[in-house]
């Protein structure tokens, strides 16, 4: 990723909520059909990261983190605009998320993915060492 061409920000005022909702509700297998109301609420109650084209200001990628900033974080809704995939933007975005959270000393950052294990492995994410310890409510 060219550092002069793109920038990453946690400023919620810069987020293009309509674009984020369109991306996720129409193209992200984990959020298909998510309502705009639910997406806006998710944004409002999370730590958000936007990746932007420096020249135009257009948002090209998004990631959301749910965290207590002390012990735990859940990385979710990581999405890169299809027209800009293959340029390392996803890796750069998740690197920025990881580095932003590092000073908090979190015990763990979790995520779920069906198809991007290789991307996250580059950044130190690993499969759960003992998945039998984990449980979930509301599986679909």
């Amino acid at each position: 990723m060219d550092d002069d061409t793109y920038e990453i920000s946690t400023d919620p005022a810069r987020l293009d909520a309509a674009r984020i909702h369109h991306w996720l509700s129409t193209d992200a297998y984990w959020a298909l059909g998510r309502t705009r109301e639910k997406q806006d609420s998710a944004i409002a109650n999370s730590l958000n990261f936007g990746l932007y084209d420096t020249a135009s200001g257009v948002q090209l990628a998004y990631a959301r983190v749910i965290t207590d900033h002390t012990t735990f974080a859940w990385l979710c809704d990581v999405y890169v605009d299809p027209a800009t995939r293959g340029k390392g933007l996803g890796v750069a975005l998740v690197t920025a998320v990881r580095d932003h959270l590092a000073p908090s000393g979190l015990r763990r950052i979790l995520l779920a993915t069906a198809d991007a294990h290789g991307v996250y492995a580059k950044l130190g994410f690993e499969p759960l060492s003992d998945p039998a310890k984990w449980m979930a409510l509301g599986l679909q």
Side-chain angles (χ1 to χ4, degrees):
M1 182 179 102
D2 181 354
D3 291 342
D4 295 336
T5 306
Y6 307 103
E7 63 181 315
I8 297 170
S9 173
T10 59
D11 180 358
R14 293 190 64 189
L15 295 171
D16 184 339
R19 185 174 179 100
I20 293 165
H21 175 255
H22 175 75
W23 283 338
L24 297 178
S25 68
T26 65
D27 191 43
Y29 66 85
W30 65 90
L32 292 175
R34 186 181 290 170
T35 67
R36 175 68 190 266
E37 179 181 60
K38 282 205 179 276
Q39 185 59 50
D40 287 349
S41 180
I43 288 170
N45 292 292
S46 301
L47 172 60
N48 301 279
F49 292 78
L51 185 144
Y52 305 89
D53 177 271
T54 303
S56 68
V58 171
Q59 186 169 354
L60 303 175
Y62 174 70
R64 185 167 68 88
V65 178
I66 303 155
T67 184
D68 62 8
H69 298 280
T70 306
T71 62
F72 179 80
W74 177 267
L75 173 60
C76 55
D77 288 347
V78 178
Y79 188 91
V80 177
D81 187 292
T84 60
R85 290 181 185 162
K87 298 179 181 182
L89 302 184
V91 171
L93 181 60
V94 175
T95 299
V97 170
R98 182 197 64 194
D99 294 351
H100 182 92
L101 294 172
S104 297
L106 302 174
R107 184 169 178 187
R108 67 181 43 93
I109 301 171
L110 291 181
L111 62 85
T113 183
D115 58 1
H117 295 79
V119 171
Y120 297 109
K122 291 178 192 177
L123 302 170
F125 286 87
E126 301 173 345
L128 294 174
S129 60
D130 190 357
K133 289 183 179 179
W134 294 86
M135 298 180 72
L137 177 65
L139 293 177
Q140 294 181 8

